[in-house]
Amino acid sequence: MVADSPGGGHVFQSHAWGELKRSLGWEPLRLLMEKEGEVVGTAQLLLYSVLPMPGKLAFCPKGPWLPWDDGETVKLFFEASRAIVKEKGVHTLKVEPEIEEEDEHSKTLLWDVGFEKFRWNLNHKTAYFVDLAPTEDEIVANMKRGARYNARLAERKGVEIVKDNSLEAQEAFWEMFEITAKRNGFWYRPREYQFRVWKAMFDVEQAHLFYAMHEGERLAGAIAYTFGDKCWYFQSATTNKKRNLKPTHLLQREMMKWAKHQGAVLYDMMAVPSPEDLENEDHPLYGVYQFKVGFGGEVRDFVGCLDLPVRPVLAKLWKKGEPLYYRAYRKLKKDIYY
């Protein structure tokens, strides 16, 4: 149903993702809106008790998916959603719709409903997208010269791309991922959390692990998620060996080809700097952006994370206390609760 909603949904709105979060203490609440027998809106809300504070938080990661050009339907959806979550003890409804910052019409609808900007964004606000609708040759032709050259170089030097979802391959990827994160100074979630995510998504064949191999050695790896007609380049890692062979460029090119063969029409390369920081060489994602821009896509900047107070008094109290709760949870659990 989510994949049939306006815009095609997001993997974080999939049933598998909701069940994963259930295993981590969240309660999935799935809402469906129909009009004349057709799905016109969906939302997977994740409910979380924020004890010792009373009440619950409802989080809709990368959603909801609605017909934003139909203001009446959008407002009816949120009116019904607010009533439903209020009955379940929710004080704040948090959403991350993939509405672009330039879409003043849809943003006005959200402000009219009562949404307000949250203090930070929980998932990437700005992302890089590659259109997979053109032919395979056209997709490669749309890549920048440097990226095309590096991919061909890797191919000539004997680098091969293999898909391997085995547990042994996942263990190897984790080791590579830790090396990459420490080398680049990235924060990452604990091993237990990550393997639980992978198992949930691999079990339903929505996660796919690829490696760039050379002479039997893993040089780079990447995990893609699929849902509906979309594919997400979710995580990647490299070793410190043979980087001159440019394995990551060939890896991405072949992953896009694979995704197209699976029926994907959109390849989401995920996080890049916000539009105003794209040329800021000091931005922590500047190097990531320079790599991704080589694949011939476009930057899309969304509205980010928004809050709707459902029980105003408790919502105000939560808004004030949430930073302390977040820091305390991260210190105690070595992780974040979202």
Side-chain angles (χ1 to χ4, degrees), residues 20 27 36 63 66 68 96 103 105 115-116 118 122 128 133-134 154 156 200 204-205 210 235 276 297-298 318 335:
L20 160 69
E27 175 193 350
E36 298 178 355
L66 302 170
W68 297 102
E96 289 180 320
D103 185 351
H105 168 76
F115 279 98
E116 54 193 38
F118 183 50
L122 300 179
Y128 196 77
R156 290 198 305 272
V204 295
E205 299 183 350
F210 297 83
Q235 291 168 310
E276 61 270 20
E298 64 174 353
W318 169 248
D335 197 1

Side-chain angles (χ1 to χ4, degrees), residues 124-136:
H124 54 281
K125 180 178 183 291
T126 311
Y128 196 77
F129 292 82
V130 177
D131 183 7
L132 297 184
T135 67
E136 192 174 288

Side-chain angles (χ1 to χ4, degrees), residues 79 149 333-334:
E79 285 176 13
Y149 174 82
K333 302 285 189 177
K334 310 302 181 186

Side-chain angles (χ1 to χ4, degrees), residues 32 71 111 130 168 205 216 237 253 279 302 310:
L32 177 69
W111 309 149
V130 177
E168 187 272 336
E205 299 183 350
R253 191 193 76 184
E279 303 304 321
F302 302 115
V310 176

Side-chain angles (χ1 to χ4, degrees), residues 257-294:
K257 288 182 179 181
W258 173 87
K260 182 174 178 60
H261 291 165
Q262 303 306 305
V265 298
L266 192 65
Y267 189 71
D268 184 348
M269 299 190 80
M270 301 186 74
V272 294
S274 58
E276 61 270 20
D277 282 321
L278 291 177
E279 303 304 321
N280 178 5
E281 296 184 13
D282 295 324
H283 194 281
L285 290 177
Y286 178 77
V288 170
Y289 169 67
Q290 289 301 307
F291 172 74
K292 293 178 180 179
V293 76

